[in-house]
């Protein structure tokens, strides 16, 4: 019997907040009220990502969130602070999970960890605390997942498709399948090159560098990483 998948941290936090209210409430300092207009959590989250709202007003709101995060009064504000940051983290969670074929729960945990660490470092002089926090959180998650991908253990290192020690985010593979009975290479050859090294190299020079310019029959992208080009090679003197 297969157990149902466990909800990620985003889903757990999302279900818990949004309708309940905590004190002291967040306030919007947009000049309409001297002491700021009180906000519900749901309204505050909308305004945090609304680019039509004055930048200084959003910055003041983020600074209040930092203050609530640092509260040590046993309230639920620290978790509510995570809920307020989810819209700024959700798209990155999807991109990282898709890019590295990572578990969504692991990606979300890294994003929340980076988010909380960044909140702890925000200074009063920061004019764009929201941007600083979200960029730092997303960078932390990208780095963590990229490192985890490179350190993933496999039974057959050759099956990974990237040379040991490579820092490539993807690779290109050239396959040579000679015709039986013909002179030249007599076995299938697969040459793997990290994708970042392919960029900027003239495609015609690749076959020359690999020593198969006259016999290579096909080349394809491995499916990992970002496709940077397409290369079609043919036998010398033959058309395809």
């Amino acid at each position: 019997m297969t157990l149902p998948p466990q909800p990620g941290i985003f889903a757990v936090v999302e279900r818990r907040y949004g309708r309940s209210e905590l004190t002291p409430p967040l306030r919007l300092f947009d000049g309409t009220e001297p002491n700021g207009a009180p906000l519900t959590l749901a309204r505050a989250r909308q305004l945090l990502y609304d680019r039509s709202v004055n930048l200084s007003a959003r910055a003041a709101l983020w600074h209040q969130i930092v203050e609530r995060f640092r509260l040590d009064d046993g309230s639920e504000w620290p978790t509510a602070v995570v809920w307020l940051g989810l819209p700024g983290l959700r798209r990155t969670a999807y991109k990282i999970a898709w890019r590295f074929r990572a578990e969504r729960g692991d990606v979300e945990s890294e994003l929340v960890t980076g988010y909380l660490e960044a909140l702890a470092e925000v200074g009063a002089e920061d004019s764009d605390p929201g941007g600083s926090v979200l960029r730092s959180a997303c960078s932390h998650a990208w780095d963590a997942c990229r490192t985890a991908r490179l350190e993933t253990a496999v039974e057959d290192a050759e099956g990974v498709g990237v040379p040991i020690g490579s820092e490539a985010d993807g690779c290109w593979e050239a396959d040579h399948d000679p015709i039986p009975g013909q002179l030249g290479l007599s076995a299938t050859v697969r040459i793997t090159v990290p994708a970042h090294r392919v960029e900027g190299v003239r495609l015609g020079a690749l076959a020359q560098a690999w020593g198969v310019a006259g016999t290579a029959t096909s080349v394809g992208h491995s499916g990992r990483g970002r496709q940077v080009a397409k290369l079609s090679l043919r036998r010398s003197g033959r058309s395809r």
Side-chain angles (χ1 to χ4, degrees):
M1 178 178 179
T2 302
L3 296 176
Q6 296 298 313
I9 188 171
F10 283 16
V12 172
V13 174
E14 196 70 57
R15 285 201 301 263
R16 188 169 182 178
Y17 290 94
R19 296 182 179 179
S20 60
E21 298 302 329
L22 304 178
T23 57
L26 298 172
R27 293 180 175 272
L28 177 65
F29 292 93
D30 59 355
T32 58
E33 296 187 27
N35 296 324
L39 299 170
T40 63
L41 282 177
R43 179 57 176 160
R45 189 160 85 159
Q46 291 175 352
L47 296 176
L48 287 172
Y49 305 97
D50 186 348
R51 295 185 178 275
S52 67
V53 177
N54 183 274
L55 178 60
S56 61
R58 281 188 287 141
L61 196 52
W62 275 106
H63 279 298
Q64 293 174 67
I65 291 172
V66 172
E67 293 174 0
R68 302 299 192 277
F69 168 67
R70 294 171 179 171
L71 286 177
D72 189 18
D73 58 358
S75 71
E76 295 186 352
W77 264 114
T79 309
V81 163
V82 174
W83 181 82
L84 290 167
L86 293 185
L89 304 175
R90 199 178 304 281
R91 179 177 296 182
T92 298
Y94 170 81
K95 289 182 178 179
I96 295 177
W98 181 86
R99 174 67 178 81
F100 295 115
R101 301 296 188 267
E103 292 291 335
R104 181 63 180 260
D106 294 339
V107 176
E108 292 179 358
S109 296
E110 292 294 348
L111 281 166
V112 172
T113 298
Y115 174 73
L116 297 179
E117 290 178 350
L119 283 174
E121 298 296 325
V122 172
E125 71 285 352
D126 194 331
S127 61
D128 184 19
S132 299
V133 167
L134 295 176
R135 285 192 297 270
S136 179
C138 293
S139 295
H140 168 88
W142 275 107
D143 291 343
C145 292
R146 183 178 294 109
T147 300
R149 178 177 184 245
L150 293 175
E151 293 178 351
T152 300
V154 295
E155 295 182 0
D156 182 6
E158 294 182 357
V160 179
V162 180
I164 297 176
S166 171
E167 297 180 354
D169 289 334
C171 62
W172 285 81
E173 294 174 348
D175 294 334
H176 169 74
D177 295 300
I179 299 175
Q182 295 291 325
L183 297 177
L185 296 175
S186 59
T188 298
V189 177
R190 170 168 293 180
I191 304 173
T192 302
V193 179
H196 72 284
R197 290 175 53 194
V198 176
E199 295 187 43
V201 179
R202 295 186 60 183
L203 298 182
L206 288 176
Q208 186 68 35
W210 295 338
V212 294
T215 58
T217 59
S218 65
V219 64
H221 184 239
S222 70
R224 296 180 294 274
R226 179 172 62 87
Q227 181 172 323
V228 296
K230 291 183 178 180
L231 174 64
S232 178
L233 302 179
R234 62 182 176 81
R235 275 188 179 278
S236 176
R238 295 184 61 188
S239 58
R240 293 293 298 260

